[in-house]
């Protein structure tokens, strides 16, 4: 069965990217594929873009959608095998996954990292449990360690705007008051392995991403040096991986400003959104013509649509 868990297991990245670009030009071209079928969307966490773009993608393919906010409207789920369920968790994922599989043909799930324990988050209990017990394909709408739909949309955006075969792309950490997961940067790193580009990750001391993911990629603690000559600047906050889940600094030294963008080669600014203005990035950068953030959000629909299309085509 074809699941989208991370881009590492998704064998059709280049074709998916091409399909997403084609669907953007002609969104209703494959509307017959989903007729009579249903996409379920389970949200353990909030969302604006992922929720709406994935439903829009489903509509474009003729799919019906069923949305459940598990955290608020559903029973609290138990994930441990053999547990005595005499506390708050009323339903085991073993039944829930099989039941949802009776109502849906594909199931998309959002379940963020807890940021309490690196081993628990890397175990990806929610996504892996549903993949184990459901009898239908599972699509990751941001799990503890990965956000592949965002990364496909980001690849579309870069490919649309690159002016040369081998652009310089910088993923830079930026400040944020709260601890955020590493899912978006992790998937961006995985996606960049499919791109012809000079790729640099800039982060302050203590904020290196999982070294298993960044092996062989240039990483630096010097943001200004990284930004020099950049064609694309992708800003994102993430909490520390080595001091797992912690916020080590909240000063504005790493905020993206016009003065920093002046170091680039008329670089395009990217962010997955939501973004905290004048914390992560200044108003002036976000509102400038070189900001691609709204286009990134637009591309989320076609990234999701290309993935759903492939799953439907594969039966
Ligand atoms: N970028 C992104 O996933 O946005 P949401 O959290 O609003 O879905």
């Amino acid at each position: 069965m074809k699941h989208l868990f991370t881009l590492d297991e998704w064998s059709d990245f280049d074709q998916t990217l091409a399909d997403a670009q084609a669907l953007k030009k002609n969104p209703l071209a494959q509307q017959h594929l989903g007729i009579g079928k249903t996409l379920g969307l389970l949200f353990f966490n909030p969302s604006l873009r992922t929720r709406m773009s994935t439903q829009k993608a489903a509509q474009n393919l003729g799919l019906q959608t069923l949305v459940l906010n598990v955290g608020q409207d559903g029973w609290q789920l138990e994930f441990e095998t053999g547990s005595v369920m005499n506390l708050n968790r009323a339903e085991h994922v073993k039944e829930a996954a099989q039941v949802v599989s009776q109502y849906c043909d594909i199931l998309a799930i959002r379940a963020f990292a807890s940021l309490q324990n690196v081993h628990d988050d890397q175990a990806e209990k929610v996504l892996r449990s549903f993949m184990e017990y459901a009898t239908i394909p599972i699509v990751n709408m941001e799990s503890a360690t990965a956000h592949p739909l965002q990364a496909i949309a980001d690849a579309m955006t870069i490919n649309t705007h690159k002016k040369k075969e081998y652009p310089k792309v910088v993923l830079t950490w930026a400040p944020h008051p709260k601890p955020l997961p590493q899912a978006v940067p992790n998937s961006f790193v995985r996606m960049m392995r499919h791109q012809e580009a000079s790729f640099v990750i800039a982060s302050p001391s203590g904020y290196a991403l999982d070294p298993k993911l960044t092996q062989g990629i240039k990483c630096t603690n010097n943001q200004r040096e990284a930004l020099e000559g950049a064609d694309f600047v992708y800003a994102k906050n993430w909490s520390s991986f080595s001091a797992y889940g912690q916020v080590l600094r909240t000063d504005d030294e790493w905020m993206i400003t016009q003065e920093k963008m002046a170091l680039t080669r008329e670089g395009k600014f990217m962010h997955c959104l939501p973004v905290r203005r004048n914390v992560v990035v200044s108003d002036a950068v976000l509102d400038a013509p070189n900001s691609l953030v709204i286009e990134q959000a637009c591309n989320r629909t076609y990234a999701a649509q290309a993935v759903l299309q492939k799953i439907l085509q594969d039966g």
Side-chain angles (χ1 to χ4, degrees), residues 286-305:
L286 201 54
D287 296 333
N290 271 5
S291 171
L292 301 180
V293 298
I294 304 303
E295 187 173 332
Q296 285 173 262
C298 171
N299 287 339
R300 289 293 308 275
T301 298
Y302 308 105
Q305 198 172 331

Side-chain angles (χ1 to χ4, degrees), residues 114-124 144-145 182 210 212 240-245:
S114 68
L115 296 178
Q116 301 299 308
N117 180 304
V118 64
H119 302 295
D120 287 352
D121 285 342
Q122 293 204 327
E124 293 276 16
T145 65
Q182 293 124 23
D210 180 352
K212 286 201 287 293
S240 174
F241 181 77
S242 53
Y244 191 69

Side-chain angles (χ1 to χ4, degrees), residues 5 19-20 30 39-40 55 72 96 100 103 106 145 151 157 170-171 190 208 213 257 263 281 285 300 304:
F5 179 37
D19 289 346
Q30 303 293 333
L39 171 70
Q55 287 190 77
Q72 294 156 29
V100 171
Y103 311 142
I106 306 172
T145 65
T157 313
V170 178
L171 169 63
R190 287 189 171 106
L213 279 176
T257 59
L263 299 168
V281 55
V285 174
R300 289 293 308 275

Side-chain angles (χ1 to χ4, degrees), residues 164-232:
K164 53 180 183 268
E165 283 301 306
Y166 206 76
K168 181 174 182 183
V169 179
V170 178
L171 169 63
T172 176
W173 182 93
H176 197 282
K178 304 229 163 140
L180 298 188
Q182 293 124 23
V184 169
N186 287 349
S187 287
F188 191 79
V189 169
R190 287 189 171 106
M191 177 277 285
M192 285 305 298
R193 291 195 185 277
H194 294 267
Q195 301 291 316
E196 293 290 325
S198 161
F199 179 44
V200 182
I201 304 172
S203 61
S205 176
Y207 280 101
L209 291 166
D210 180 352
K212 286 201 287 293
L213 279 176
T214 58
Q215 215 166 24
I217 293 170
K218 184 175 176 191
C219 297
T220 177
N221 297 140
N222 190 331
Q223 188 188 43
R224 285 176 183 277
E225 198 177 276
L227 293 176
E228 273 170 24
D231 299 292
F232 295 92

Side-chain angles (χ1 to χ4, degrees), residues 46-51 110 142 147 150 272-274 300:
S47 166
L48 188 160
R49 278 144 292 276
T50 306
R51 173 182 291 254
R110 164 164 283 200
E142 187 172 342
H147 196 356
Q150 181 67 53
C272 62
L273 303 182
R300 289 293 308 275

